[in-house]
Amino acid sequence: MLSRVSTADATTPLSTWAPLRSPIYRALWIAQLVSNLGTWMQTVGAQWILVDEPNAATLVSFVQTAITLPVMLLSIPSGVLADLVDRRRLLLGAQSAMAALAAVLAIATATGHTTPAVLLTLLFLLGCGQALTAPAWQAIQPELVARDQITAVAALGSMNINIGRAVGPALAGVLISLSGPELVFALNALSFGGIVAVLTFWRRPATDRKLPSERPLAALQAGTRFIRAAPAIRRVLLRSILFIAPASALWALLPVIARDKLGLSSSGYGLMLGALGLGAVLGAVGLSRIRALLTPTQRLTAAAVLFGLATAGTAMLRSMPLVLVLLVGAGLAWLLAMSTMNSTMQLLLPAWVRARGLSVYLLVFMGGQAIGSLVWGLVAGALGSVPALLIAAAFLAGSALSSVWLPIRHNAEELDLTPSAFWPEPQLVVEPDPEDGPVMVLRTYDVPPESVPEFMAAMVFVGRSRQRTGAMEWRLYRDVGVLDRYVEAFVVRSWAEHMHQHQVRLTAQDQLREQDVSRFTVGDDRVTHLVAVEPH
């Protein structure tokens, strides 16, 4: 049986490789690496099939669109689904379906039936499988390792992707020259088998569901409310956009720089991608030392500066060795930024909404890259690739400067987001139906005059807690009929959602916020539950 590894002793230095001590995480990481290699080989094979078509340039560009468009379209619904169903079973189903689709592509190619329409359709369906998988895959990571290893997990995940990006295309080129694209398609189909096997043997702890699952639309609304009431998460998403949008210029224009400015062949371009991958590996190796020296905000600043210098240098230099050195630095900076933002999101999201929150992050990430690449391509078409990269470098400098006004949370690892059903059960004389509502909850506080400023400050965080866990509206009122009395009022969509608040969504961090408030009140708080009725 594969199980999660326990938290390391506090005296043990935490390295980037620490998560690999977990048997289940190690097995999944290796299986994911094999799958990433297969995916990148498939992309090259698909492009190779289309290069001899009449509209080759357009069709080849559609390959990446067919793969990435589903991620942008389905990321949010996939996040909702991953929070409502068993994530292991969801991953098993999606990976098995992708293996079957890849096998169909290999057979169709081997038998001469892979027309451009068939190819792009199958790639789109494979992209739908990837979109379905991504939020659930991200959301299971905290279940596999200890909380203090999440940053290392994010670094290893980014390194995994970059190794696949660097090695997969080169390996595909060799295999296609030997046996044709059907071989890489067949190997891609087999590459899903490792993940399916590991997930089959993983015995994920069963969750005890005392309440019915949320409905999809209500779950989507709950996830939206959570992010809207979580300034720390919104800050990470904003910093992601500020980095990814200009950084996408280097990824988009690197082939043009390789061919037109440096006069390189496809093998030279592959070497440049390899330098980026090497930088990501070096960044992962040194991440534990970097984390010890820099806060998350400082890491994002350093990443923006380093990636910006690499972008400007790649635009201006004509020396291939110097450009390769800069690209190694860019790969390191990319990993540093991605691991910092991904791990911070993981650490800020409680389990009940983790996949929904990460799906928004994935949408920002993929959308930023896709739209950014399109914009920088248009800029390069109008001004040239060198001015476009220099403009992008200037925006990256602005991203670094934004750390002054937009720092991200530095102590996310210290947050205790374990579920904590600390609210007492409501005392009822009438049992509402689950869909009855809206529900208004009133809570009365008696606050001595000298404690009012501290009480008001503490209630700001309580209000955010209520909204994150389900409140559509929240206000604090002063009772003008009773001296020193304040009344908190919030509205929840239904009785079932309020019960989810009670039993599923509250965390130990929410409990700490309420304990802060209790320090500034006297007597017992009184809670009233009101369920809306339609007069007739």
Side-chain angles (χ1 to χ4, degrees), residues 216-519:
L217 181 58
L220 176 61
Q221 293 170 337
T224 302
R225 283 193 297 268
F226 184 94
I227 292 175
R228 195 167 59 234
I233 289 177
R234 296 202 312 272
R235 182 72 56 85
V236 174
L237 295 174
L238 178 57
R239 291 302 304 269
S240 298
I241 295 171
L242 292 177
F243 178 83
I244 291 168
S248 63
L250 183 62
W251 293 105
L253 300 178
L254 195 61
V256 180
I257 293 294
R259 184 191 63 191
D260 297 343
K261 192 167 184 296
L262 299 177
L264 300 176
S265 64
S266 59
S267 60
Y269 172 58
L271 191 61
M272 296 173 82
L273 288 178
L276 285 162
L278 175 61
V281 173
L282 294 176
V285 171
L287 183 62
S288 58
R289 293 189 181 91
I290 297 173
R291 288 180 59 207
L293 295 173
L294 302 176
T295 66
T297 299
Q298 290 169 340
R299 295 201 294 270
L300 285 183
T301 304
V305 170
L306 187 55
F307 205 94
L309 290 173
T311 300
T314 301
M316 299 177 66
L317 296 175
R318 293 185 177 274
S319 169
M320 178 63 172
L322 289 178
V323 169
L324 289 177
V325 171
L326 288 174
L327 291 177
V328 170
L332 189 153
W334 183 263
L335 179 130
L336 193 59
M338 295 303 102
S339 64
T340 299
M341 292 183 288
N342 186 290
S343 62
T344 303
M345 285 292 294
Q346 295 267 15
L347 292 167
L348 290 173
L349 289 164
W352 70 271
V353 74
R354 185 178 295 134
R356 277 166 278 186
L358 288 170
S359 70
V360 176
Y361 170 73
L362 290 170
L363 179 62
V364 168
F365 176 75
M366 296 298 295
Q369 277 197 299
I371 297 173
S373 297
L374 175 62
V375 169
W376 292 117
L378 294 174
V379 173
L383 303 177
S385 57
V386 171
L389 287 177
L390 293 176
I391 294 170
F395 276 106
L396 283 163
S399 175
L401 287 174
S402 70
S403 295
V404 177
W405 303 280
L406 300 171
I408 63 173
R409 188 157 191 151
H410 67 278
N411 63 340
E413 289 180 355
E414 300 173 8
L415 297 177
D416 186 357
L417 300 183
T418 54
S420 177
F422 61 90
W423 282 357
E425 288 298 312
Q427 300 299 312
L428 307 175
V429 294
V430 176
E431 183 68 35
D433 289 332
E435 292 306 310
D436 283 351
V439 177
M440 174 176 282
V441 182
L442 305 176
R443 188 167 186 173
T444 303
Y445 304 91
D446 291 321
V447 186
E450 65 274 10
S451 299
V452 168
E454 293 88 348
F455 169 78
M456 291 292 190
M459 286 301 292
V460 170
F461 297 99
V462 169
R464 290 176 185 167
S465 169
R466 305 287 193 250
Q467 292 170 301
R468 284 196 301 268
T469 55
M472 299 186 297
E473 301 175 28
W474 179 89
R475 293 297 297 266
L476 182 64
Y477 298 88
R478 182 173 184 176
D479 189 338
V480 295
V482 181
L483 190 64
D484 301 331
R485 177 162 292 175
Y486 294 82
V487 179
E488 173 194 9
F490 61 92
V491 178
V492 184
R493 185 187 65 86
S494 67
W495 185 254
E497 184 147 14
H498 185 51
M499 288 299 97
H500 276 277
Q501 257 188 322
H502 266 267
Q503 300 178 24
V504 178
R505 298 179 181 176
L506 292 170
T507 67
Q509 192 67 26
D510 297 312
Q511 187 174 13
L512 288 175
R513 294 303 188 190
E514 293 204 20
Q515 288 173 350
D516 285 342
V517 169
S518 66
R519 292 163 44 211

Side-chain angles (χ1 to χ4, degrees), residues 6-17:
S6 60
T7 306
D9 186 86
T11 61
T12 303
L14 185 62
S15 74
T16 303
W17 314 109

